Amino acid sequence: MNTSSVIVIGGGIAGLTAAALLAHEGVPVTLLEAHRQPGGCAGTFRRGPWTFDVGATQVAGLEPGGSHARLFKHLALPLPEAEILDPGCVVDLADGSPAVKLWHDPELWQKERQQQFPGSESFWTLCAAIHQSNWAFAGRDPVVTPRSAWDLRELIRALRPSTVFSGLLSGMTIADLQRLCGCGTDQRLRRFLDLQLKLYSQEPSDRTAALYGATVLQMAQAPLGLWHLHGSMQILSDQLVAAMERDGGVLMLQKRVTRIERHATGWIVEAQGVKGSTSSFEAEDVICSLPPQCLLDLMPRDLPDGYLNRLRDLPEPSGALVLYGVLPRDVLPEGCPGHLQRSWRHNSSLFLSISSDGDGRAPLGQATLIASVFTPTGDWCRLPETEYQQRKRAELLAIQQELNTWLDLPPSAWIHTELATPRGFAGWTGRPRGIVGGLGQHPSRFGPFGLASRTPLEGLWLCGDSLHPGEGTAGVSLSALNATRQLLAERGQELRVES
C-alpha cells in the first residue's frame, strides 16, 4: 500500500495544476496518470520530425492577471514562450461573404464587426459589460457552486453590485441577448455566434448561457488574448510537472485508476499498470480530474443515490474527428492565419490550426495542419475493426477534400495525413467513449447550477472541464485552483493566489 496525503487522478492540465498547488503548499501528493506522458487533451505526439498537439492548440490566460499567468507566478515558474494570435481566428461562414477576423485590437475588432454585422453594436456592448463584470468577479476566486458555509462565504466575499446585476441574466442564453438587443433576426450573426460558441461551450447560441458566452466572445481581444505556444502545448504540462516534483510531489505514469473506495481513514485508490500489474494507494483526500461520468464505473457502490442519478443523467459531450497533416508551407495561401474556422456540413464547422515557421512543430519550410470537427461519439468505439477502418478512411478523405477546396491545395501536396476518432481519443485519454470537452454550458448547468468540486462524499473533490468555469486550459486551471482551495480550507490552510 502506497500512502499519500492526497491522490490526484488524471495528469491533464487540471490534475497537474491541482497537484502542483498542493505540493507547493507542502502537502504530500501523488498524481496517477494512465498514459505514458502527462498532458491529456493538451498533450502532444510525434510522427518522425513532426510534433502534433493532440487536442488543444491555442491558450488563453497568459496575459497579466490571466489564470495561467497568476498560477505560474504563484508556483515560481516562467511563462512559456508564446506569441499573441492576431487575428485570434478567421471565421469563414461559407456564404460567399468575406471571412470574419477576430482582431486582438478592440478598435479593429469593433470596426470589423460593425462592417460584418451592421446593427449589432448594442449586442456587443452588452456582452462587453457582462464580460467585464465576470472578469472582475472571477479574479476574486469565488466558489460559484457553494456546498458548505466556507464555500458560501467565499462566494459572498467576491460579489459586487455589478455581479448581482449580471446574475439577473443567469437564465438567459446568448440568443436571448441577441433578441433583446434588436438583432435577433440577423441570421448571419447567429451563424457566426453558433460556430464560435460551439468551440468553447459545446452548445450553439440558443443553448449557451449568456454569462458564459459573453466572456468567450471577448477572449481574442486585449487585454485578454489567445496565444500560440512555441514548441508545443506540452510545455504547459512539462512546467507543471517540474513545479510539482520540485516541491516534493510524485508523478506516476501508466497507472490507470480502476477503483476508488471509501476507507475508515480516507480513501483507497487502485490502479493498473503495465502488463496488468496492480497497485493500491491510500490517501486522506482524492481529487479526480477525469470526466465525472467516470465515477459511475470507478465507485458505483459509494455514490449516494441522488448523486448517482445526477451523474447518470449528465448529457454526453461531443466526440471529435481530427485530421493531423503536414504540407509544404509554400502551398498555403499567402498570409494564411494560424487559426481558421469554416462552416461545414450539418451546421458544424471545421476548426483549423496551422503551425508557424520555426515554432518547433515542423522542419522549416513545412507546416503541421490540425483540422477538427465535432461528431457524436455514437458507435465509433463498438464498430468491428474492418467497418471502423472503412469509416475512418471515408471521413479522412472527406475532411481532406474540404481542406483542398477551402485552401486551394493541390491533392498531391500532402506529405502526411492521419485521422483520430472518438475511438482513438478513448484510448489516448481514457475519457468515456472518447468524449472531448466538458459539459455543455447551458444555463441549467452553468455556474451555481453546475456540478460542484465539493462532492457529497467527504474528501472526494472534482476538477476539470465539466466543472466551473468550463473547458480550455485556462478554465480547467481555475477549476483546479477552486478544488485545491476548498480541500486546504478543510485542513485549516488558506491558499490565495495574487491577481
Side-chain angles (χ1 to χ4, degrees):
M1 182 75 69
N2 300 276
T3 302
S4 183
S5 181
V6 180
I7 296 292
V8 177
I9 302 173
I13 297 299
L16 290 169
T17 300
L21 287 170
L22 288 168
H24 196 63
E25 296 301 309
V27 176
V29 58
T30 300
L31 189 151
L32 304 178
E33 165 56 36
H35 208 271
R36 62 179 179 273
Q37 69 179 50
C41 293
T44 61
F45 68 95
R46 292 188 63 85
R47 291 288 186 266
W50 309 300
T51 298
F52 295 99
D53 297 319
V54 173
T57 58
Q58 54 184 207
V59 176
L62 293 179
E63 69 284 342
S67 56
H68 286 309
R70 292 175 60 203
L71 289 167
F72 274 49
K73 180 180 179 181
H74 180 80
L75 295 170
L77 291 172
L79 280 177
E81 291 186 36
E83 59 189 26
I84 199 75
L85 293 171
D86 192 18
C89 186
V90 175
V91 183
D92 182 356
L93 299 178
D95 59 359
S97 61
V100 183
K101 299 179 176 64
L102 278 68
W103 298 110
H104 181 60
D105 185 322
E107 291 186 4
L108 287 179
W109 168 233
Q110 182 179 36
K111 292 177 182 177
E112 178 79 16
R113 69 188 186 229
Q114 286 175 346
Q115 181 179 0
Q116 296 277 0
F117 312 112
S120 67
E121 195 56 28
S122 59
F123 166 79
W124 296 105
T125 301
L126 178 57
C127 285
I130 295 170
H131 162 66
Q132 289 169 5
S133 173
N134 288 351
W135 190 250
F137 177 61
R140 294 186 284 271
D141 295 330
V143 178
V144 300
T145 49
R147 298 293 186 270
S148 73
W150 185 89
D151 296 349
L152 184 60
R153 186 172 67 248
E154 289 299 292
L155 173 61
I156 294 173
R157 179 188 61 80
L159 292 175
R160 300 293 185 273
S162 62
T163 318
V164 176
F165 174 77
S166 296
L168 299 176
L169 306 175
S170 59
M172 299 182 71
T173 67
I174 286 293
D176 291 331
L177 295 188
Q178 190 184 354
R179 287 189 289 269
L180 182 66
C181 294
C183 52
T185 60
D186 187 339
Q187 293 304 309
R188 190 165 179 273
L189 173 60
R190 174 65 62 85
R191 184 65 182 142
F192 170 79
L193 296 174
D194 286 347
L195 295 181
Q196 281 286 286
L197 293 171
K198 181 71 172 176
L199 286 178
Y200 303 103
S201 75
Q202 295 264 345
E203 300 281 10
S205 59
D206 63 349
R207 292 183 56 81
T208 295
L211 297 184
Y212 181 84
T215 287
V216 165
L217 294 170
Q218 305 284 325
M219 291 305 295
Q221 281 78 55
L224 309 183
L226 298 174
W227 302 79
H228 179 74
L229 294 180
H230 294 178
S232 73
M233 291 290 294
Q234 193 69 38
I235 189 64
L236 287 178
S237 302
D238 291 345
Q239 289 188 257
L240 290 169
V241 168
M244 178 187 66
E245 294 182 335
R246 176 200 66 199
D247 294 331
V250 176
L251 170 63
M252 302 190 72
L253 298 174
Q254 295 183 294
K255 297 291 184 182
R256 185 176 297 275
V257 172
T258 57
R259 187 168 67 94
I260 307 171
E261 186 175 335
R262 298 187 76 174
H263 188 261
T265 58
W267 296 89
I268 292 178
V269 177
E270 291 188 355
Q272 187 175 66
V274 294
K275 299 182 180 179
S277 62
T278 60
S279 305
S280 293
F281 302 84
E282 185 175 5
E284 297 174 48
D285 291 272
V286 171
I287 296 180
C288 182
S289 69
L290 308 179
Q293 296 93 328
C294 292
L295 296 178
L296 295 171
D297 294 325
L298 294 176
M299 51 180 308
R301 291 180 296 177
D302 282 328
L303 295 173
D305 289 343
Y307 198 65
L308 183 69
N309 291 333
R310 185 174 188 191
L311 293 180
R312 285 174 175 163
D313 291 340
L314 291 176
E316 181 164 284
S318 295
L321 300 172
V322 184
L323 182 149
Y324 303 100
V326 180
L327 290 163
R329 187 165 295 278
D330 59 12
V331 304
L332 294 170
E334 185 176 355
C336 185
H339 295 272
L340 305 93
Q341 186 181 25
R342 179 178 170 86
S343 180
W344 199 33
R345 58 188 184 186
H346 309 308
N347 294 320
S348 187
S349 72
L350 272 176
F351 182 71
L352 184 60
S353 298
I354 303 173
S355 66
S356 58
D357 224 12
D359 70 359
R361 289 168 172 83
L364 293 177
Q366 295 182 355
T368 60
L369 182 149
I370 303 172
S372 60
V373 59
F374 286 115
T375 184
T377 55
D379 57 359
W380 278 102
C381 294
R382 298 190 300 269
L383 286 172
E385 184 64 21
T386 300
E387 186 178 349
Y388 168 72
Q389 292 297 339
Q390 290 173 346
R391 185 174 172 186
K392 180 178 177 180
R393 179 64 179 169
E395 292 289 355
L396 187 153
L397 291 174
I399 295 173
Q400 190 175 7
Q401 183 176 357
E402 179 66 17
L403 293 172
N404 290 343
T405 302
W406 180 14
L407 302 178
D408 193 24
L409 301 173
S412 60
W414 293 89
I415 301 171
H416 173 84
T417 58
E418 62 182 282
L419 187 77
T421 71
R423 185 164 171 164
F425 280 110
W428 177 277
T429 66
R431 296 168 71 96
R433 294 168 299 284
I435 58 176
V436 297
L439 299 176
Q441 296 296 317
H442 186 273
S444 64
R445 295 186 293 272
F446 175 69
F449 310 109
L451 283 174
S453 50
R454 186 190 298 270
T455 73
L457 298 169
E458 184 179 353
L460 177 65
W461 311 88
L462 302 180
C463 64
D465 53 15
S466 291
L467 284 294
H468 182 84
E471 58 189 79
T473 60
V476 301
S477 295
L478 289 178
S479 79
L481 173 61
N482 289 339
T484 304
R485 292 182 62 236
Q486 290 171 299
L487 184 157
L488 290 172
E490 287 294 305
R491 299 181 174 204
Q493 296 178 245
E494 182 180 35
L495 171 61
R496 295 288 181 193
V497 177
E498 294 183 11
S499 297

